[in-house]
Amino acid sequence: MASSSKTIPSSVIIIGSGVFGLGTAYALATREAFKHTKITILERLPFPAADGASVDTSRIVRPDYADGAYTALMAEGHKFWRGEFGANGRYTEAGLCIVTDDDAGGEKPNEAANDYMRKAMENVKEKLGLRVGRRAEGGQVEPLETKQDVGRVMASMGGDCGSRGYVNWTSGWADAAAGMIHMRKLVAETGRVQFRTAEVKRLCYSDSEVESVELVCGEQLQADLIVLATGAWTPKFVDLRGIASATGQVLAYIDLTQAEQDRLGSNPTLLSENTGMFIIQPRDRQLKVARHGYGYANPTTIANPERPGEKITVSLPWTQHDEPHLQIPLEGDRACRTYLAKTIPDLASRPWTQTRICWYTDTPKGDWLVDHHPKYTNLFVATGGSGHAYKFLPVVGERIVNVMLGEDRDELGAELRRKWQWPKHKFGSDHVWTDDWRGGRKGMVLAEERARTTDMGSGAAKL
Ligand SMILES: Cc1cc2nc3c(=O)[nH]c(=O)nc-3n(C[C@H](O)[C@H](O)[C@H](O)COP(=O)(O)OP(=O)(O)OC[C@H]3O[C@@H](n4cnc5c(N)ncnc54)[C@H](O)[C@@H]3O)c2cc1C
């Protein structure tokens, strides 16, 4: 039976246990209206899925958005991070220093980055009423007008951290894996959700609904409502060409001594808007250097999930689960290394202990995709995180269920529903590139960058 937007389904299958899947499960399991609904989560890997976007050492938790709707949503989320949800080291409020950089290895501060930064600062001042001024004088948002100002705030890094910006001392970072483990515990404690480690092979469609969920083991499952929360893997299950794409982002980690961790842990997180590079405070003596970039596309030809007779090409994740020794391409390695050397010169030559390609689900404007599918009445999609959804872990589920039930609980809810709705128009190409304040080059393809890495690696060996 298909569910209308207002009907309470008697069974729900949620596919994926990342931020969107677990968040939805918690909201459903704690709502009176769903007390008779059978809720199942399917996850392809043992929890927490190591290659999922939601699982990592750290994620930035910030209300600093150019779009005030996300600032307002973060104000809700922050209450949780500052309470029990963020206890036991799951959340640390050490500040976030956002800069642009006139000397960023050839990348000029672009107008979009400057504009984003200016709007983000205005939003946290105006929408959250944060006090402007130096921290020592009780300020919560501190404008940094010169390189020296940035250097003063980022002193323990010891390098060139940027030309101008501001620091929001009320932002912080979350221990991403610990937050997910906590969320799963909360879901389990409701006693309402069945967890299954099982990989979905495909959704079996009729003209108007999902008839069944087929597992790789061959089993077919049915439910009144299917919630697709499969992150960057979602284009495998529904045709998202021109709507959302997987883009691979680079991460590189080094080990620190305890003294280095103590030193660098006293800094705010550093985020460069015109290169997309950022360094979050270390966790467990591991420091991560990363880039919020256009990312790599990984074009993969598959059967159209909705019309299996037809072949289509979509970008899909390729991770260390697929190839255990997968490393970031040289292009990304160099970007991380250059940024590390520039900002923390005494660690410039410390070898990476590991690198990782982590997959965003990108939409054209960076707004999520949370909506009923326009064609299949029992399919609901909750994805499109676009590199910024983790911080909303404690509150995203309620907002998703609001959309599911067609509830505009407040003005913000109505605005979010509009932003997240199934798009009326597709992006200009099948692969979507997000333009917010991305760094790196637009248009990179993972296989090509890996081939260049191999060529340059063998070239270097001959020198
Ligand atoms: C490098 C990086 C840095 C980021 N930094 C930040 C940050 O600082 N702050 C912030 O707020 N956000 C950040 N984000 C974004 C945030 O982490 C994501 O938006 C969010 O985690 C997305 O959650 P998800 O549930 O959509 O995806 P995922 O966490 O990837 O969950 C999808 C799940 O679906 C499962 N799945 C896939 N296929 C199947 C199948 N066939 N069968 C069953 N299960 C399946 C996967 O195993 C996975 O567990 C970052 C993301 C990345 C990659």
Side-chain angles (χ1 to χ4, degrees):
M1 184 199 85
S3 78
S4 81
S5 63
K6 307 254 169 160
T7 308
I8 300 299
S10 61
S11 55
V12 178
I13 291 177
I14 300 169
I15 312 174
S17 65
V19 164
F20 285 96
L22 272 189
T24 305
Y26 187 67
L28 292 176
T30 49
R31 279 212 182 196
E32 182 68 12
F34 287 84
K35 70 179 180 199
H36 298 301
T37 301
K38 180 180 175 216
I39 308 166
T40 307
I41 294 193
L42 303 175
E43 168 56 54
R44 77 192 219 287
L45 295 179
F47 185 86
D51 62 358
S54 309
V55 179
D56 194 3
T57 50
S58 51
R59 290 282 179 263
I60 300 170
V61 175
R62 61 173 166 109
D64 306 76
Y65 274 91
D67 182 338
Y70 293 100
T71 303
L73 187 59
M74 190 64 243
E76 286 176 12
H78 240 145
K79 290 186 196 137
F80 287 85
W81 287 114
R82 289 176 179 141
E84 172 55 27
F85 200 95
N88 300 319
R90 289 188 287 270
Y91 174 64
T92 307
E93 198 153 295
L96 170 65
C97 179
I98 303 183
V99 298
T100 56
D101 193 347
D102 294 340
D103 177 29
E107 290 180 61
K108 298 254 180 311
N110 57 54
E111 272 322 299
N114 279 325
D115 192 46
Y116 190 99
M117 187 170 74
R118 190 180 48 72
K119 285 188 182 142
M121 185 161 73
E122 285 311 309
N123 270 333
V124 292
K125 283 192 317 194
E126 283 170 18
K127 292 199 183 296
L128 304 181
L130 298 187
R131 284 185 303 278
V132 179
R134 284 204 178 192
R135 189 187 204 187
E137 291 148 15
Q140 294 168 305
V141 176
E142 193 171 336
L144 306 169
E145 273 148 25
T146 63
K147 198 181 261 294
Q148 287 69 33
D149 287 343
V150 176
R152 170 174 53 78
V153 168
M154 301 307 301
S156 71
M157 283 198 173
D160 173 1
C161 292
S163 307
R164 70 192 67 77
Y166 75 94
V167 56
N168 180 352
W169 293 108
T170 75
S171 291
W173 62 278
D175 179 330
M180 291 303 293
I181 290 165
H182 183 64
M183 189 58 168
R184 190 183 189 279
K185 179 170 153 275
L186 294 180
V187 176
E189 280 170 1
T190 66
R192 296 275 299 103
V193 177
Q194 190 203 357
F195 296 91
R196 276 191 70 179
T197 304
E199 183 170 355
V200 171
K201 182 174 178 198
R202 63 186 185 114
L203 304 186
C204 304
Y205 292 97
S206 71
D207 285 345
S208 60
E209 64 176 16
V210 177
E211 289 182 327
S212 65
V213 174
E214 184 177 327
L215 303 182
V216 165
C217 65
E219 198 179 343
Q220 305 274 340
L221 306 173
Q222 274 99 23
D224 282 356
L225 186 68
I226 315 293
V227 178
L228 201 46
T230 35
W233 290 267
T234 309
K236 257 168 95 168
F237 304 109
V238 66
D239 187 355
L240 291 182
R241 285 174 296 167
I243 296 175
S245 296
T247 68
Q249 308 289 329
V250 292
L251 305 173
Y253 304 79
I254 57 172
D255 278 348
L256 300 177
T257 64
Q258 188 59 46
E260 287 165 343
Q261 160 144 324
D262 294 344
R263 185 187 104 205
L264 294 166
S266 66
N267 271 326
T269 285
L270 177 65
L271 189 157
S272 171
E273 294 260 333
N274 54 317
T275 58
M277 302 303 303
F278 60 95
I279 296 181
I280 305 182
Q281 282 86 352
R283 189 207 73 175
D284 295 341
R285 291 193 277 113
Q286 270 199 316
L287 185 79
K288 180 175 85 180
V289 184
R291 181 174 66 195
H292 177 68
Y294 290 107
Y296 308 117
N298 181 37
T300 310
T301 299
I302 57 169
N304 185 331
E306 297 171 36
R307 289 181 296 282
E310 179 194 331
K311 294 274 182 218
I312 60 172
T313 299
V314 293
S315 179
L316 289 173
W318 186 250
T319 73
Q320 286 171 348
H321 181 71
D322 305 299
E323 181 184 332
H325 299 294
L326 178 67
Q327 300 293 317
I328 57 177
L330 192 59
E331 172 283 328
D333 189 309
R334 282 186 176 157
C336 293
R337 180 61 63 191
T338 304
Y339 192 61
L340 179 65
K342 185 172 190 291
T343 54
I344 318 180
D346 65 322
L347 298 179
S349 52
R350 180 87 43 101
W352 306 132
T353 45
Q354 52 160 322
T355 68
R356 175 180 169 194
I357 305 174
C358 186
W359 294 84
Y360 287 179
T361 319
D362 272 335
T363 67
K365 290 189 189 154
D367 288 319
W368 308 335
L369 179 64
V370 176
D371 203 353
H372 294 273
H373 193 283
K375 181 170 174 198
Y376 307 108
T377 51
N378 60 343
L379 179 62
F380 188 88
V381 177
T383 186
S386 303
H388 69 103
Y390 184 90
K391 61 183 74 60
F392 302 100
L393 173 63
V395 292
V396 70
E398 268 301 314
R399 293 292 181 179
I400 290 172
V401 175
N402 288 152
V403 175
M404 194 181 279
L405 297 180
E407 301 168 337
D408 281 343
R409 111 177 172 220
D410 50 19
E411 249 178 63
L412 176 61
E415 190 178 353
L416 293 174
R417 190 165 57 79
R418 282 193 297 275
K419 283 183 188 302
W420 298 344
Q421 72 191 352
W422 200 272
K424 293 193 174 57
H425 305 288
K426 293 193 175 186
F427 193 64
S429 61
D430 284 356
H431 184 82
V432 170
W433 302 102
T434 307
D435 266 311
D436 43 21
W437 44 276
R438 302 300 172 109
R441 237 172 41 238
K442 197 189 258 188
M444 286 189 289
V445 172
L446 181 61
E448 292 170 5
E449 292 307 321
R450 293 187 76 193
R452 276 193 197 108
T453 303
T454 313
D455 291 349
M456 291 168 100
S458 55
K462 283 183 205 128
L463 290 174

